[in-house]
Amino acid sequence: MKKIRLLFVDDETNVLAALRRMLRNKRDHWDMVLVNSGQAALEALEKAPFDVIVSDIKMPGMDGAELLTRVKEAHSGTIRIALSGQVDLNEVIRSIRSVHQYISKPCTAEALIARIEGALMSREVLTDPKMLELVTEIDALPVIPKIFQQIRDELAKPEPSIDRIADSITQDVGLMAKILKLVNSPFFGLPTHIDSMHKAITMLGLETIKALILSAHLFTSLDGHILSGFKLNMLWEHCFRVANIARLIAECDKADKNVIVSCRMAGLLHDVGKLILINNFPKRYEQVLKSVRENGGPVYRIEREVFGTSHAEMGAYLMGLWGMSHEVVHAIGYHHSHRPSSEYIPNVVTAANSIDHHCVVFHKDYSRIRIRKDVAPQLFEEKRLHMWLDYVSEHWQDIDVFDCADENLLNDILDRG
């Protein structure tokens, strides 16, 4: 098996020596090169490609932000990780567009290996080299212009409301994904993992959130007319419903609190790959939607015919690069049940997605997603699905769009082939 190639960059020789010792047991699997400057790193990259670069941010001469920006421009397929202590907000903003993940210094060997392997493992669900390189290049996700303007207007007020800003951010998948990535970076030194916008704003303060959100080019605005018949807010509403259904299913199963949070997060982000495909290939995605309208069939199946992959794989790889947990990444990548899974969170998101696709029908030709017995045997339990549907109906009055007692709904969701 070909070794994974990693490049470590730090101007302190004792740090490089420590890294060499820490990662000694990975020598059979990783080919590691350690250099002490940005220039030396660029020279190493010119000689041979690397899968991952891990660089300090604060270095004399060419700092980590500049180095990783140049790596992004010249070697876009390389996974870029910042290994650094706390830095000021300006340095965070300078590095935002070029860094996939931030790891705090010092860190244990186990933590460093886990983060690197997590980013590498996310490539399992996306195998097309061209698509891998495309996703690795992505530094911003499109956001709904109206939502972004709401936030800007609120931030411009003399006394902006944390609640209103948090509510607005969570109304946009792209915005939320990027902000969560940033607030969980070690640059801010927060003591716990942040999983809600209100908590993030409260702990960081409005001025920091304002600086992050209004930074030039941090977010891109998706043209509302980029695709005929496509509305970004409808995509978000679907993700919101799937997130709530997934959360309620996990609550019904009396799952651990962290599992419930992960189910909701995976539901919110499960279709983030559509933003990537639509924003980068609008004309080809128009073909996908046209084919679905004229010939039927799930969107993800037509995506594979047109692109060789689907939004599920694209979204999973990007979220893996951005440091989302393994469970959330797998739930995003496998939410269309195209392979068997015994993992709880992917199965819950698969069920939640299928339930929403059956419960909310936009037009007569709308293609629904069914749960196949061969790839999701744990979900093929009618009694369990009945229990979930009843629980969702009882605990979320706003989704009064289906009759959980209707046997036809259960029969429609399950593919008994």
Side-chain angles (χ1 to χ4, degrees):
M1 185 181 293
K2 185 181 177 182
K3 283 187 177 182
I4 297 294
R5 286 178 52 78
L6 291 99
L7 178 60
F8 292 91
V9 192
D10 200 297
D11 64 298
E12 297 184 33
T13 55
N14 62 323
V15 172
L16 294 177
L19 284 169
R20 195 183 300 276
R21 289 193 303 272
M22 287 167 60
L23 303 174
R24 188 178 295 122
N25 65 342
K26 299 297 292 183
R27 284 179 299 183
D28 291 341
H29 306 285
W30 291 356
D31 182 7
M32 294 174 278
V33 175
L34 295 88
V35 298
N36 62 2
S37 71
Q39 187 58 44
L42 293 178
E43 291 170 3
L45 281 158
E46 287 301 320
K47 293 176 183 176
F50 285 85
D51 296 284
V52 182
I53 179 171
V54 180
S55 175
D56 187 22
I57 290 294
K58 286 190 172 183
M59 297 188 294
M62 185 190 306
D63 66 9
E66 181 183 349
L67 168 62
L68 293 174
T69 298
R70 292 174 66 169
V71 172
K72 177 175 180 271
E73 293 168 352
H75 310 277
S76 57
T78 301
I79 296 172
R80 302 175 296 277
I81 296 175
L83 176 62
S84 186
Q86 281 187 254
V87 295
D88 64 37
L89 187 58
N90 289 331
E91 289 176 294
V92 174
I93 291 172
R94 279 187 62 229
S95 67
I96 279 173
R97 293 184 70 90
S98 57
V99 176
H100 290 127
Q101 288 192 43
Y102 304 92
I103 304 176
S104 60
K105 184 201 288 186
C107 70
T108 65
E110 292 77 12
L112 180 58
I113 291 169
R115 295 292 290 274
I116 293 172
E117 289 185 336
L120 290 167
M121 282 175 60
S122 64
R123 297 193 300 190
E124 292 178 3
V125 297
L126 185 60
T127 56
D128 185 314
K130 290 183 180 178
M131 290 298 178
L132 277 169
E133 185 162 342
L134 168 72
V135 177
T136 312
E137 287 182 31
I138 291 172
D139 52 27
L141 290 169
V143 301
I144 303 172
K146 181 181 177 183
I147 298 297
F148 197 59
Q149 192 57 49
Q150 279 179 11
I151 296 168
R152 296 184 66 155
D153 291 345
E154 187 64 33
L155 287 169
K157 293 178 180 179
E159 295 185 12
S161 164
I162 289 178
D163 288 339
R164 280 194 290 271
I165 293 170
D167 288 345
S168 294
I169 291 174
T170 53
Q171 287 180 44
D172 188 280
V173 173
L175 193 60
M176 186 191 68
K178 189 73 173 183
I179 292 294
L180 282 176
K181 171 196 172 184
L182 295 172
V183 299
N184 283 304
S185 77
F187 289 159
F188 295 111
L190 298 182
T192 58
H193 185 79
I194 305 300
D195 53 31
S196 79
M197 279 302 111
H198 193 283
K199 189 188 296 184
I201 297 172
T202 301
M203 296 188 76
L204 286 179
L206 279 171
E207 286 305 309
T208 299
I209 289 292
K210 183 175 182 178
L212 290 174
I213 290 177
L214 302 185
S215 298
H217 311 303
L218 177 54
F219 300 100
T220 59
S221 181
L222 186 68
D223 183 352
H225 305 289
I226 194 168
L227 293 177
S228 61
F230 175 80
K231 293 182 180 179
L232 191 56
N233 64 306
M234 289 179 68
L235 174 63
W236 177 85
E237 288 167 4
H238 164 66
C239 291
F240 176 80
R241 291 193 303 270
V242 171
N244 270 333
I245 294 170
R247 172 182 63 81
L248 289 168
I249 287 173
E251 285 182 4
C252 178
D253 286 345
K254 294 181 171 53
D256 177 81
K257 180 183 177 183
N258 291 330
V259 171
I260 294 172
V261 169
S262 292
C263 285
R264 181 178 181 274
M265 183 64 64
L268 279 170
L269 298 173
H270 79 284
D271 272 351
V272 72
K274 287 184 178 178
L275 297 179
I276 302 171
L277 291 172
I278 290 167
N279 205 42
N280 289 278
F281 308 104
K283 290 184 179 178
R284 289 171 68 185
Y285 210 84
E286 184 71 70
Q287 295 174 25
V288 172
L289 298 181
K290 185 171 183 283
S291 177
V292 171
R293 286 193 298 267
E294 293 177 355
N295 306 313
V299 168
Y300 71 89
R301 197 171 295 156
I302 310 303
E303 287 173 346
R304 291 201 182 108
E305 293 175 6
V306 174
F307 297 105
T309 189
S310 80
H311 65 272
E313 291 86 8
M314 298 287 279
Y317 183 43
L318 181 62
M319 292 301 100
L321 284 179
W322 285 10
M324 290 290 171
S325 69
H326 166 79
E327 294 83 2
V328 170
V329 169
H330 269 212
I332 295 169
Y334 302 126
H335 73 267
H336 285 305
S337 300
H338 65 272
R339 80 165 202 179
S341 175
S342 60
E343 295 180 67
Y344 180 75
I345 296 172
N347 279 336
V348 167
V349 175
T350 295
N353 184 55
S354 182
I355 290 169
D356 187 67
H357 273 287
H358 279 79
C359 297
V360 182
V361 179
F362 297 110
H363 51 78
K364 64 182 181 63
D365 299 319
Y366 183 67
S367 183
R368 301 177 179 184
I369 308 295
R370 307 182 78 189
I371 300 174
R372 286 169 44 202
K373 181 178 181 179
D374 59 326
V375 295
Q378 290 190 352
L379 301 180
F380 204 81
E381 299 174 12
E382 297 186 22
K383 191 178 293 186
R384 191 178 187 194
L385 275 172
H386 261 307
M387 181 175 68
W388 286 350
L389 290 168
D390 288 338
Y391 190 89
V392 171
S393 180
E394 290 169 8
H395 291 80
W396 189 15
Q397 301 303 318
D398 289 343
I399 194 169
D400 186 22
V401 293
F402 61 90
D403 179 4
C404 290
D406 185 359
E407 282 294 333
N408 291 327
L409 174 62
L410 190 66
N411 291 332
D412 285 343
I413 291 174
L414 293 172
D415 184 345
R416 302 172 188 275

